[in-house]
């Protein structure tokens, strides 16, 4: 068996700076650009594409720790040389593809699927990246590093995930949240897991600025997706989507997009599968943004000639209320490679799409609502064709966003006209009231 290796490398191909994955480094010290994780591709090529598929299929959802995890089943492609003893896993990944035939029919698509990444330990796709990052920290600590806490800024799901993985590993976590800008469930999650939870009187971009300054002190390890270890874990979403369809590549993937780590990761996963011979076509990628937090959309509209951070205004899709996405320099080349599209959705559109999908059996979070509104727009506009295979990435469970749901059905969300509002019928506790109410409701 060849020895596989991976390391941090500057994203600028002319720069070439490299660091071990156990080094505390987030930007290239020479040119200040972002880092990526690079793999020893020649060693990985010793196995054929078909052989990799067999390896991944043999491990998928089975019991052999840690390889039954959707992330660690692809360990050689993620963090090959980490000691299995360092791995902190909650058996993440392996989330189902929901067959959205009824929603698809409503918007004119015959082959629409929802990748349910929110069906996960802490209820969002963030677990896929966090298992890698926290495992890396545990490996560093076992090797003698003095890391006192793992820190992050969050729109709610990163902090929930970091808190849970750190609690499982017995490592302290400090999370910075924008006060009153995340859901109750998302605030309760890190509190329950014992994280030091700081609610700041600013927005996510403000929290991010502070946490980046804090991370100059190497005792505080930064868990935001500026850290490419997160992206390595999220990359497995692509492998899993293809694997779940007997290694067939879909035509389109729609991704709710905020800080732009996830769309980057999904692109990288496909490129790696192509390079290693598992697939030979690529899907088209669509980044879906909320109209009130749309810097990528604006950049796309000017042909990506420049990227101007914006002030993110309020949106129900709080997890993507980001005006200055840290991974923009990673995501733009990915979108260009994948013939990508950026589309946006208004508050009305995202809320309507989520409610419409819920009526067909889903329970969509508002971020997924943005992606569902975008897929509807692209299908109705003839950009996506009826027979094409389309995957929408659902990034979190709707159960974290009950205020959004209640607000929609009560008709109190600003700018939203709730066509699918549904309210409980309140009755006296007697049989006759129930039967007469039911006969009024059915037919
Ligand atoms: C983090 C998050 C996103 C955005 O992902 P990025 O990688 O920041 O673009 C979307 N939806 C949910 C629910 C999230 O938690
Ligand atoms: Zn550099």
């Amino acid at each position: 068996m060849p020895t596989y290796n991976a390391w941090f490398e500057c994203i600028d191909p002319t720069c070439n700076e490299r660091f071990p994955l156990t080094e505390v480094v987030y930007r290239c010290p020479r040119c200040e650009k972002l880092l990526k994780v690079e793999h020893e591709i020649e060693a990985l090529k010793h196995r054929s594409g078909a052989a990799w598929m067999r390896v991944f299929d043999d491990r998928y959802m089975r019991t052999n720790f840690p390889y039954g995890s959707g992330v660690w089943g692809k360990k050689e492609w993620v963090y090959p040389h980490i000691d299995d003893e360092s791995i902190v896993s909650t058996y993440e990944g392996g989330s189902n593809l929901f067959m959205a035939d009824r929603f698809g029919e409503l918007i004119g698509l015959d082959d629409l699927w929802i990748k349910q990444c929110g069906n996960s330990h802490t209820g969002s796709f963030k677990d896929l990246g966090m298992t890698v990052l926290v495992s890396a920290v545990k490996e560093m600590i076992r090797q003698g590093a003095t890391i006192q806490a793992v820190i992050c800024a969050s729109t709610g799901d990163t902090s929930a995930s970091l808190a849970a993985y750190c609690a499982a590993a017995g490592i302290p976590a400090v999370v910075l949240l924008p006060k009153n800008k995340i859901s109750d469930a998302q605030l309760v999650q890190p509190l329950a897991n014992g994280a030091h939870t700081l609610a700041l009187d600013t927005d996510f971009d403000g929290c991010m600025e502070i946490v980046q300054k804090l991370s100059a002190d190497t005792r505080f390890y930064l868990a935001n997706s500026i850290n490419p270890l997160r992206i390595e874990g999220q990359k497995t979403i692509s492998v899993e989507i293809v694997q779940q369809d007997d290694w067939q590549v879909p035509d389109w993937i729609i991704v709710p997009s905020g800080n732009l780590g996830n769309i980057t990761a999904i692109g990288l996963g496909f490129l790696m599968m192509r390079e290693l011979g598992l697939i030979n076509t690529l899907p088209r990628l669509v980044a879906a943004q909320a109209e009130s937090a749309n810097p990528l959309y604006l950049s796309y509209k000017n042909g990506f000639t420049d990227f101007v951070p914006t002030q993110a205004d309020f949106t129900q899709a709080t997890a993507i209320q980001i005006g200055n996405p840290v991974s923009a320099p990673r995501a733009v080349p990915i979108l260009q490679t994948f013939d990508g599209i950026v589309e946006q959705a208004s508050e009305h559109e995202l809320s309507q799409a989520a409610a419409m999908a819920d009526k067909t059996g889903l329970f969509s979070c508002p971020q997924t609502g943005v992606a569902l509104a975008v897929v509807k727009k692209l299908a109705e506009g003839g950009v996506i064709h009826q027979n094409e295979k389309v995957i929408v990435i659902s990034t979190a469970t709707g159960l974290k966003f009950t205020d959004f749901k209640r607000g929609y059905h009560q008709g109190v969300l600003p700018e939203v006209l709730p066509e699918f509002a549904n309210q409980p019928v309140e009755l006296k506790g007697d049989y006759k009231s129930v039967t007469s109410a039911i006969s009024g409701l059915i037919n």
Side-chain angles (χ1 to χ4, degrees), residues 124-126 157 234 256-262 319-320 365 367 395-396:
S124 85
F125 78 86
K126 297 295 199 296
D157 289 327
Q234 291 168 210
S257 295
N259 225 359
L260 309 181
N262 207 26
I320 54 175
C365 77
Q367 296 70 225
T395 45

Side-chain angles (χ1 to χ4, degrees), residues 226-246:
I226 187 176
N227 188 326
L229 288 169
R230 294 257 312 275
I231 290 174
E232 286 310 284
Q234 291 168 210
K235 216 171 65 179
T236 60
I237 294 176
S238 312
V239 186
E240 206 170 274
I241 285 172
V242 175
Q243 183 174 17
Q244 284 172 313
D245 192 25
D246 297 325

Side-chain angles (χ1 to χ4, degrees), residues 62-383:
R62 298 189 66 86
T63 51
N64 183 21
F65 182 89
Y67 300 94
S69 148
V71 172
W72 296 106
K74 282 91 182 170
K75 184 184 175 194
E76 295 86 344
W77 291 27
V78 171
Y79 190 155
H81 51 294
I82 193 169
D83 188 343
D84 283 356
E85 294 281 311
S86 298
I87 290 176
V88 185
S89 172
T90 63
Y91 206 68
E92 48 292 305
S95 61
N96 61 302
L97 275 175
F98 178 94
M99 185 173 65
D101 51 345
R102 288 195 63 227
F103 183 72
E105 197 178 324
L106 292 172
I107 64 170
L109 293 178
D110 292 343
D111 201 4
L112 176 64
W113 302 78
I114 316 295
K115 176 65 171 163
Q116 293 281 52
C117 296
N119 291 347
S120 184
H121 187 67
T122 70
S124 85
F125 78 86
K126 297 295 199 296
D127 292 346
L128 302 169
M130 208 54 83
T131 181
V132 179
L133 185 134
V134 174
S135 299
V137 171
K138 189 168 170 192
E139 173 103 331
M140 290 157 76
I141 292 172
R142 288 177 69 224
Q143 291 177 1
T146 50
I147 292 172
Q148 292 187 342
V150 188
I151 60 175
C152 76
S154 181
T155 53
D157 289 327
T158 298
S159 42
S161 188
L162 178 66
Y165 280 85
C166 279
I171 299 169
V174 178
V175 305
L176 278 65
L177 303 170
K179 191 174 156 190
N180 297 331
K181 292 190 175 72
I182 67 170
S183 75
D184 279 351
Q186 289 170 321
L187 175 61
V188 169
Q189 285 183 292
L191 293 175
N193 288 133
H196 304 292
T197 303
L198 314 179
L200 305 191
D201 201 1
T202 177
D203 59 5
F204 170 79
D205 294 303
C207 292
M208 191 67 219
E209 233 181 278
I210 294 169
V211 90
Q212 291 208 44
K213 277 189 196 151
L214 271 178
S215 69
D217 183 336
T218 57
R219 290 173 307 163
F220 304 134
Y221 191 76
L222 181 59
N224 281 98
S225 59
I226 187 176
N227 188 326
L229 288 169
R230 294 257 312 275
I231 290 174
E232 286 310 284
Q234 291 168 210
K235 216 171 65 179
T236 60
I237 294 176
S238 312
V239 186
E240 206 170 274
I241 285 172
V242 175
Q243 183 174 17
Q244 284 172 313
D245 192 25
D246 297 325
W247 303 99
Q248 303 294 305
V249 179
D251 298 301
W252 295 89
I253 300 196
I254 325 296
V255 189
S257 295
N259 225 359
L260 309 181
N262 207 26
I263 191 138
T264 301
I266 288 169
L268 290 175
F270 278 102
L271 292 177
M272 197 157 176
M273 280 190 281
R274 189 176 66 171
E275 183 155 30
L276 292 172
L278 286 76
I279 60 173
N280 44 44
T281 60
L282 298 176
R284 289 186 69 184
L285 293 184
V286 180
Q289 293 215 294
E291 223 172 78
S292 41
N294 64 353
L296 184 69
Y297 176 77
L298 297 176
S299 175
Y300 170 74
K301 282 290 165 189
N302 70 30
F304 292 128
T305 48
D306 57 0
F307 195 98
V308 185
T310 59
Q311 171 68 44
D313 291 328
F314 175 77
T315 168
Q316 296 295 334
T318 45
I320 54 175
Q321 190 180 333
I322 297 174
N324 188 11
V326 71
S327 284
R330 293 174 173 136
V332 169
I334 287 286
L335 283 164
Q336 288 167 328
T337 305
F338 284 79
D339 196 7
I341 291 177
V342 186
E343 187 50 87
Q344 62 179 2
S346 68
E347 294 305 291
H348 178 69
E349 289 166 337
L350 77 88
S351 306
Q352 276 293 103
M356 190 177 182
D358 286 3
K359 286 203 71 171
T360 68
L362 285 152
F363 196 71
S364 308
C365 77
Q367 296 70 225
T368 305
V370 172
L372 294 167
V374 161
V375 77
K376 179 169 181 281
K377 245 183 220 188
L378 295 177
E380 288 169 356
V383 180

